[in-house]
Amino acid sequence: MATFTLADLVGYIRQAAGEDEDFDLDGDIGEITFANLGYDSIAMVEVVVSVERELGISLPGEGTDKDSTPTKFVEVVNELMPASVQP
């Protein structure tokens, strides 16, 4: 089964929303909210759209918004991602 990882998410974040120089996205960011990482609602929409388009899934607002964490986002994606998709 394919698994979406935190590293995969970081790649999407960098591509869609850029990187805030106050945070090292390669560090321990799993439990920090996206808002606290410097990503607002618009940035998160860009990330969500990129993930949806690439993986062919439809993500809910809950767990993928600016008040969520990268760990929760990864969990939501893995719950929805078909086994045949390889990130």
Side-chain angles (χ1 to χ4, degrees):
M1 179 171 150
T3 301
F4 186 80
T5 67
L6 185 58
D8 295 325
L9 175 58
V10 167
Y12 283 100
I13 291 171
R14 284 185 172 131
Q15 180 182 14
E19 187 167 359
D20 187 322
E21 51 190 57
D22 291 336
F23 287 95
D24 177 12
L25 290 179
D26 294 319
D28 188 16
I29 62 164
E31 298 305 319
I32 303 171
T33 66
F34 291 109
N36 287 337
L37 288 170
Y39 298 102
D40 62 11
S41 296
I42 295 171
M44 291 311 301
V45 166
E46 293 294 324
V47 172
V48 167
V49 167
S50 293
V51 171
E52 288 178 331
R53 186 178 314 126
E54 183 77 21
L55 301 181
I57 60 176
S58 181
L59 295 170
E62 184 178 329
T64 61
D65 61 7
K66 70 179 181 74
D67 296 319
S68 186
T69 64
T71 297
K72 181 62 179 171
F73 192 107
V74 168
E75 289 171 1
V76 169
V77 170
N78 280 313
E79 289 172 5
L80 297 172
M81 192 169 65
S84 61
V85 174
Q86 296 288 329

